[in-house]
């Protein structure tokens, strides 16, 4: 990002960043680390995106054309793992790093050195994961959910490297989350009570709590896998008294809170942007907080809705169905609050607002298909079809990813001091919006018609919608090159931004200069 | 209230070194495990160099933090950050054990009874007809072929043999060590460094004693009971739960030993200024609570 030039001479409290590569290697500055996270996440987004395009190219027409089925499985697995752990999660951590200290009026994150460690583990972890492509037997090929025994008895040897890579990603997430929680609990400016915190901060406080609660469970799951594969235990092997379904229980006990980890910060972002461009105060602040907390708590008791067809006792099927449907209540509160905030507002449609409105609408579509999937008897039809793929891509791409893009457009004037090119931004939005819907909406139809997910080939009757979906995917993919161009152009220069940037923006980060000085709030501001 | 500056180090080399160490450590570990049984593998050297780099970097990192503290760079607010940080770290450890206790709960209440033909999913009995559910699972469903059979479990042997039962002694040793570390804390608060060192020394000794007893128990299991990692789900849960607990005892014991050496060699810690020790003692109490759970759910029930 842009170098912040402040020459205060000998005043060692207010100097700018170090020069050269070591600035990034040794940094303890939350803004530097935030930028590292964001760039890393964008690189992973492109790598995972290319993998998605390999998948969509193969599925463009029935039959096997481009890749071997074994390689297709590896692309499928790595696409999922990279997008979840490499793209979406680090992007939110990057935003947290950039924004939370400024939003709460803190000089930096609470534990700055550990913050740097949390980031630098990630490039190594993903180097290990990607290097498995070149190992004997190929990369992991068992899907991002790595169900046993596919990931144990039938796994390629590279699974051991996958396991350790997940271990250190988990360590990075746990340290990152501890940092976020400690910063929020301990570093708020005087006067900023919990219920005065910006919603993005609230959303991250809850997300960090979820992360610390479930990343260790994932570590436990992969450890059991490691022991089953190499040391003769039988956690997931019925021959020794274990159960492959046990893996699914442990995995989804992690996995369901994990999917909320990828959406809660998006809720925070949407709240800020909608409020700003509606030029109104957010409707129902405290209900937003309580809704996020309820969603987080409920996320611990819904995991088995991913497993309705594995043979659960009836009582479990019913419990997990009702508990899952209950989540629609707090989520509905949030959606209605956003709509009510826009109601009678003086709305302008700058790029962040376009992404935020698309987020609300398309995330809601993904939420509704989620409700359909929650209905146990109906799920027996939908389970493991493209309907599920459509559902979670609707909540993750126009949900999480759109919110991240909205956040980048919204805060990039604060980060770089320059306004992005509004015309290009809108073009990027409309291309992405069109691409994402062409890609994923038809997948609802082919899923309901019975096309199973995770196969490189399919029956002829699914051909038309698959071809359309592939065209959409390439449109969406190509439009992200435009995004990269816009961001680079903004970093290089552009119309200078004012401190407040947006007419309706409020919050501490808009009280400092644009670009934000390298060190902000070395003495805490007073919040009334 | 006067405002103190929150200390943010300008730059630090330790994190990137630790990340590199961690990278070597896991690459070496994964390579070593994949190459088990091969004679021409060099992965172990990567593992050892990673471990060494990890230890050395942590040493210098902690040393830097301690020196900053002694130099008075850290404000009360920064110290509070360490307190919160340690508490949440322990919470993450709790959740790690929760995964293994959850697995134990699941196999005992669901998968093993179902394999034995009991309960709502008793249909699973068709896989190995004649398998009867019991806990501990001494004879596995696929008896004798996939998994070796144990002769005996580690469970409660009855009152008659209680005194010869190692887990009981383990419990006594570990619970006592939680008390002695508390005595050490009290002594420190009363500014009695001599008594502090004595009680902390006793705690470290008890930690070592516990690890010794645990090693003896494992030896008995492997040599005399035929109970191994390979003996089905009972062996799996038994060794993984007690093994990870034992590993945490070693980590906690190491932390306390480091605190002891800091106190003895450098006269660190005073009645109001000893969070390093306090964090280690929290960790020790946490390890102790995990043992109580283990004693209940792995050994007794």
């Amino acid at each position: 990002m842009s170098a912040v030039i402040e020459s205060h001479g000998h005043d060692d409290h207010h100097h700018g960043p170090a020069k050269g590569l070591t600035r990034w290697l040794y940094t303890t500055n939350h803004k530097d680390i935030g930028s590292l996270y964001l760039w890393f996440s964008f690189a992973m987004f492109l790598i995972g995106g290319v993998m998605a395009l390999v998948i969509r190219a193969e599925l463009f027409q029935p039959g096997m054309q481009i890749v071997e089925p074994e390689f297709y499985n590896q692309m499928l697995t790595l696409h999922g793992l990279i997008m979840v752990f490499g793209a979406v999660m680090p992007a939110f951590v990057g935003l947290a790093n950039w924004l939370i200290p400024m939003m709460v009026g803190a000089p930096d994150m609470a534990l700055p050195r550990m913050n740097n460690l949390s980031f630098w583990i990630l490039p190594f972890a993903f180097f290990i994961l990607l290097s498995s492509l070149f190992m004997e037997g190929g990369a992991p090929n068992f899907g991002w959910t790595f169900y046993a025994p596919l990931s144990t008895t039938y796994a390629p040897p590279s699974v051991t490297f996958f396991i350790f890579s997940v271990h250190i990603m988990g360590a990075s997430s746990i340290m990152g989350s501890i940092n976020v929680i400690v910063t929020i609990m301990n570093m708020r400016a005087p006067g900023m009570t919990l219920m005065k915190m910006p919603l993005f901060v609230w959303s991250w406080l809850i997300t960090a709590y979820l992360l610390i609660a479930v990343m260790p469970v994932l570590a436990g799951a992969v450890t059991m896998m490691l022991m089953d594969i190499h040391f003769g235990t039988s956690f997931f092997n019925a021959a020794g008294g274990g159960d492959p379904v046990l893996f699914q229980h442990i995995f989804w006990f992690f996995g369901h809170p994990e999917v909320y980890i990828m959406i809660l910060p998006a809720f925070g972002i949407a709240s800020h942007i909608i409020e700003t461009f509606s030029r109104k105060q957010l409707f129902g602040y405290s209900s937003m907080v309580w809704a996020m907390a309820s969603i987080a708590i409920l996320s611990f008791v819904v995991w088995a809705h991913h497993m309705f067809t594995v043979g659960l006792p009836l009582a479990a099927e019913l419990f997990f169905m009702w508990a899952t449907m209950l989540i629609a209540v707090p989520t509905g509160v949030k959606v209605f609050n956003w709509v009510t905030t826009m109601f009678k507002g003086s709305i302008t449609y700058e790029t962040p607002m376009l992404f935020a409105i698309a987020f609300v609408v398309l995330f809601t579509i993904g939420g509704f298909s989620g409700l359909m999937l929650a209905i146990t008897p109906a799920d027996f039809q939908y389970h493991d079809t493209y309907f599920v793929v459509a559902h979670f891509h609707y909540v993750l791409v126009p949900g999480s990813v759109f919110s991240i893009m909205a956040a980048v457009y919204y805060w990039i004037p604060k980060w770089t001091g320059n306004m992005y090119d509004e015309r290009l931004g809108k073009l990027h939005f409309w291309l992405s919006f069109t691409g994402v819907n062409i890609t994923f909406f038809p997948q609802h139809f082919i899923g309901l018609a019975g096309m199973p997910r995770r196969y490189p080939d399919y029956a002829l009757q699914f051909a038309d919608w698959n071809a359309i979906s592939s065209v959409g995917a390439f449109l969406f993919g190509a439009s992200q090159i435009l995004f990269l161009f816009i961001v680079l152009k903004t970093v290089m220069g552009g119309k200078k931004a004012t401190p407040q940037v947006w007419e309706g923006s409020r919050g501490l980060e808009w009280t400092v200069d644009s670009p934000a000085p390298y060190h902000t709030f070395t003495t805490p501001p007073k919040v009334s | 209230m006067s405002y103190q500056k929150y200390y943010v180090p300008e730059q630090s080399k330790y994190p990137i070194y630790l990340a590199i160490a961690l990278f070597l450590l896991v690459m070496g570990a994964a390579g070593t495990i994949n190459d088990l049984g091969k004679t021409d593998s060099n992965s172990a050297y990567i593992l050892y160099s990673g471990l060494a780099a990890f230890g050395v970097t942590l040493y210098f990192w902690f040393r830097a933090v301690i020196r900053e503290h002694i130099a008075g760079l850290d404000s009360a607010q920064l110290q509070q950050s360490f307190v919160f940080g340690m508490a949440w770290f322990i919470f993450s450890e709790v959740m790690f054990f929760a995964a293994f206790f959850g697995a134990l709960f699941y196999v005992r209440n669901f998968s093993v009874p179902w394999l034995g033909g009991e309960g709502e999913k008793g249909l699973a009995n068709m896989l190995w007809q004649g398998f009867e559910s019991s806990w501990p699972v001494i004879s596995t469903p696929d008896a004798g072929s996939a998994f070796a059979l144990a002769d005996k479990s580690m469970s409660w042997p009855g009152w008659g043999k209680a005194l010869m039962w190692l887990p009981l002694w383990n419990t006594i040793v570990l619970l006592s060590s939680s008390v002695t570390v508390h005595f050490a804390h009290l002594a420190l608060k009363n500014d009695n460094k001599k008594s502090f060192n004595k009680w902390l020394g006793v705690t470290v000794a008890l930690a070592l004693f516990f690890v010794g007893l645990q090693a003896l128990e494992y030896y008995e299991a492997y040599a005399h009971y035929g109970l191994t990692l390979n003996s089905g789900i009972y062996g799996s849960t038994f060794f993984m739960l007690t093994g990870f607990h034992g590993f945490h005892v070693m980590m906690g014991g190491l932390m306390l030993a480091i605190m002891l050496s800091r106190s003895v060699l450098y006269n660190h810690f005073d009645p109001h200024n000893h969070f390093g020790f306090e964090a280690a003692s929290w960790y020790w109490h946490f390890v102790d609570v995990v043992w109580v759970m283990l004693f209940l759910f792995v050994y007794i029930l």
Side-chain angles (χ1 to χ4, degrees):
Chain A
M1 294 279 168
S2 72
V4 181
I5 297 148
E6 268 202 76
S7 47
H8 281 258
H10 301 291
D11 180 7
D12 64 2
H13 295 298
H14 284 97
H15 56 65
K19 298 276 175 286
L21 186 65
T22 55
R23 168 181 175 187
W24 304 103
L25 294 178
Y26 302 155
T27 186
T28 49
N29 182 284
H30 73 100
K31 300 184 181 81
D32 283 353
I33 295 171
S35 302
L36 285 170
Y37 264 111
L38 287 169
W39 279 113
F40 173 79
S41 133
F42 193 71
M44 286 295 134
F45 180 60
L46 293 184
I47 293 173
V50 168
M51 291 172 175
L53 294 183
V54 171
I55 293 168
R56 280 321 315 173
E58 177 55 53
L59 294 175
F60 181 69
Q61 60 184 64
M64 301 302 304
Q65 287 89 21
I66 296 171
V67 293
E68 296 294 315
E70 293 78 14
F71 188 69
Y72 180 91
N73 287 344
Q74 295 172 28
M75 287 293 102
L76 194 85
T77 305
L78 289 179
H79 164 71
L81 290 169
I82 287 174
M83 288 305 197
V84 169
F85 295 104
V88 173
M89 286 169 68
F92 282 132
V93 183
L95 293 169
N97 260 295
W98 251 105
L99 298 170
I100 289 175
M102 288 203 289
M103 284 178 161
V104 301
D108 206 296
M109 295 293 277
L111 304 159
R113 277 170 288 211
M114 193 171 84
N115 198 15
N116 180 325
L117 175 62
S118 303
F119 171 75
W120 277 108
I121 286 174
L122 286 181
F124 291 112
F126 282 88
F127 172 80
I128 296 173
L129 188 62
L130 286 169
S131 69
S132 67
L133 274 168
F134 306 101
M135 288 177 192
E136 202 183 326
N141 55 7
F142 28 68
W144 90 276
T145 53
F146 50 101
Y147 279 6
L150 280 179
S151 61
T152 53
T153 315
Y154 305 104
S158 64
V159 67
T160 315
F161 289 87
F162 157 80
I163 287 169
F164 280 101
S165 138
V166 169
H167 266 305
I168 59 174
M169 280 174 212
S172 154
S173 285
I174 291 167
M175 287 189 285
S177 307
I178 289 176
N179 228 331
V180 166
I181 294 189
V182 177
T183 306
I184 298 173
M185 298 309 285
N186 194 32
M187 310 274 289
R188 294 192 312 278
M192 181 172 285
T193 56
L194 283 175
M195 291 310 273
K196 278 186 191 163
M197 289 196 311
L199 273 177
F200 180 71
V201 179
W202 253 115
S203 72
W204 246 108
L205 180 62
I206 294 167
T207 303
Y209 164 72
L210 288 181
L211 274 166
I212 301 182
V214 300
M215 291 312 283
V217 175
L218 177 70
V222 293
T223 306
M224 288 179 214
M225 273 169 60
L226 183 77
M227 298 304 287
D228 269 16
I229 296 168
H230 294 289
F231 299 102
T233 56
S234 52
F235 285 105
F236 309 132
N237 188 337
D243 190 350
V245 177
L246 170 61
F247 176 86
Q248 300 185 23
H249 280 292
I250 300 174
F251 178 83
W252 285 114
F253 184 83
F254 148 78
H256 203 80
E258 166 67 21
V259 301
Y260 290 172
I261 285 160
M262 294 189 285
I263 201 68
L264 286 175
F267 290 166
I269 292 165
S271 304
H272 286 285
I273 294 175
I274 289 173
E275 172 181 55
T276 294
F277 294 100
S278 302
R279 290 169 182 76
K280 274 176 64 187
Q281 197 176 2
L282 186 80
F283 184 85
Y285 170 90
S286 58
S287 66
M288 287 297 213
V289 173
W290 290 112
M292 283 193 288
S294 316
I295 291 170
I297 290 163
L298 284 172
S299 77
F300 287 105
V301 293
V302 297
W303 76 87
H305 67 215
H306 298 268
M307 310 160 51
F308 281 147
T309 62
V310 297
L312 297 176
L314 185 63
E317 306 248 17
L318 288 172
F319 172 79
F320 287 107
M321 173 171 80
W322 291 117
T324 304
M325 295 175 97
L326 207 55
I327 293 185
V329 177
T331 313
V333 167
K334 299 196 74 72
V335 171
F336 282 114
N337 278 349
W338 288 321
V339 173
T340 317
T341 305
M342 288 189 272
F343 183 66
K344 288 192 172 172
S346 313
I347 304 179
T348 49
Y349 297 95
E350 283 88 346
T351 311
M353 184 61 164
L354 289 175
F355 273 105
I357 294 173
F359 164 83
V360 174
V361 175
L362 300 181
F363 171 78
T364 305
I365 291 179
F368 280 140
S369 58
L371 266 178
M372 291 171 69
L373 288 160
I375 301 166
T376 311
D379 182 67
F380 275 70
Q381 166 70 15
Y382 311 147
H383 188 86
D384 261 357
T385 68
Y386 261 80
F387 189 78
V388 178
V389 178
H391 156 69
F392 70 76
H393 279 93
Y394 257 88
V395 288
L396 279 174
V397 186
S400 307
V401 174
F402 270 25
S403 82
I404 293 163
M405 289 171 177
V408 170
Y409 283 112
Y410 183 60
W411 278 291
I412 204 170
K414 182 54 62 189
W415 300 338
T416 65
N418 304 320
M419 298 303 287
Y420 61 90
D421 186 325
E422 189 64 57
R423 207 169 39 92
L424 288 179
K426 285 196 169 112
L427 179 66
H428 171 231
F429 168 76
W430 285 110
L431 288 174
S432 296
F433 178 83
T434 314
V436 98
N437 282 297
I438 295 178
T439 310
F440 297 116
F441 211 78
Q443 295 183 359
H444 290 110
F445 312 145
I446 49 178
L448 289 178
M451 178 170 161
R453 60 191 282 211
R454 294 191 168 125
Y455 285 83
D457 192 6
Y458 49 84
L460 289 178
Q461 71 266 29
F462 306 125
D464 293 350
W465 287 124
N466 265 302
I468 292 170
S469 177
S470 291
V471 170
F474 277 85
L475 175 64
F476 182 77
S479 56
Q480 302 327 312
I481 306 296
L482 177 61
F483 182 43
L484 176 64
F485 174 76
I486 297 168
V487 170
L488 285 174
K489 190 165 174 261
T490 315
V491 173
M492 305 286 186
K495 205 177 113 227
K496 294 292 155 224
T498 60
Q500 206 197 355
V501 182
W502 311 108
E503 191 188 25
S505 55
R506 51 185 108 200
L508 285 175
E509 80 269 32
W510 307 109
T511 62
V512 300
D513 286 343
S514 301
Y518 195 57
H519 296 288
T520 34
F521 301 124
T522 39
T523 36
K526 185 94 183 95
V527 179
S528 53
Chain B
M1 191 183 86
S2 68
Y3 171 71
Q4 274 185 294
K5 194 174 146 55
Y6 195 90
Y7 174 66
V8 178
E10 268 318 313
Q11 282 197 322
S12 177
K13 293 179 181 173
Y14 306 120
I16 185 82
Y17 290 169
L18 202 66
I20 294 168
L22 209 51
F23 171 64
L24 292 174
L25 187 69
V26 296
M27 280 301 268
T32 308
I33 290 173
N34 265 8
D35 291 348
L36 283 177
K38 290 184 194 163
T39 47
D40 58 342
S41 168
N42 294 319
S43 297
Y45 297 113
I46 304 178
L47 172 62
Y48 297 143
S49 59
L51 264 177
F54 192 77
V56 170
T57 313
L58 273 188
Y59 173 81
F60 283 103
W61 190 336
F62 278 113
R63 192 180 71 161
V65 174
I66 291 163
R67 285 183 176 175
E68 285 159 11
H69 175 70
I70 291 168
L73 287 172
D74 52 353
S75 58
Q77 195 187 16
L78 179 62
Q79 291 173 37
Q80 186 60 33
S81 289
F82 291 139
V83 174
F84 276 127
M86 188 67 194
W88 284 95
F89 169 65
I90 290 178
F91 174 62
S92 81
E93 292 274 39
V94 169
M95 291 309 292
F96 181 76
F97 276 99
F100 287 91
F101 277 107
L104 178 69
F105 176 83
Y106 181 81
V107 294
R108 289 188 62 166
N109 290 295
F110 298 108
S111 74
V112 171
W114 290 345
L115 283 166
E118 299 162 22
E120 194 169 346
K121 297 290 165 187
L123 193 67
N125 190 240
M126 70 180 176
L127 290 171
W128 289 280
Q129 289 156 22
F131 172 70
E132 278 174 36
S133 139
S134 66
W135 191 266
V137 180
I138 295 295
S139 169
T140 54
D142 192 8
S145 62
F147 298 100
L149 295 181
D151 309 318
K152 227 173 129 182
S153 79
M154 283 293 169
S155 295
W156 174 243
W159 288 106
K161 295 179 185 162
L163 285 179
M164 291 300 293
W165 189 47
L166 271 177
L168 183 66
W169 291 104
N170 265 337
T171 310
I172 292 167
V173 169
L174 207 58
L175 287 181
S176 320
S177 76
S178 233
V179 176
T180 55
V181 83
H182 183 63
F183 285 163
H185 196 184
L186 288 181
L188 185 58
K189 279 186 179 163
N190 292 329
D191 206 7
N192 187 344
K193 280 301 288 280
K194 220 175 139 189
S195 166
F196 170 73
N197 290 342
K198 189 184 74 193
W199 283 115
L200 192 51
V202 171
T203 311
V204 173
L206 285 171
L208 282 173
F209 191 46
F210 176 88
V211 173
L213 283 179
Q214 191 75 18
L216 185 63
E217 188 188 23
Y218 278 16
Y219 169 75
E220 276 198 8
Y222 267 79
H224 301 305
Y225 292 8
L227 179 64
T228 68
L229 272 173
N230 216 0
S231 35
I233 193 64
Y234 175 70
S236 307
T237 51
F238 173 78
F239 282 109
M240 290 307 282
L241 276 161
T242 55
F244 268 115
H245 175 263
F247 176 71
H248 281 77
V249 169
M250 288 191 243
M251 289 299 106
L254 181 66
M255 289 182 205
L256 290 174
I258 290 169
M259 298 308 152
L260 180 62
S261 59
R262 280 178 64 189
S263 173
V264 172
L265 299 177
Y266 303 110
N267 199 25
H268 287 172
F269 307 128
D270 63 55
H272 306 291
N273 217 341
H274 53 258
F275 184 67
F277 162 74
E278 231 173 347
S281 77
W282 283 1
Y283 196 80
W284 194 248
H285 290 308
F286 151 71
V287 166
D288 203 36
V289 171
V290 173
W291 177 262
V292 172
M293 295 288 155
L294 279 177
F295 191 59
L296 262 176
F297 294 114
V298 175
Y299 290 101
I300 301 267
L301 293 176

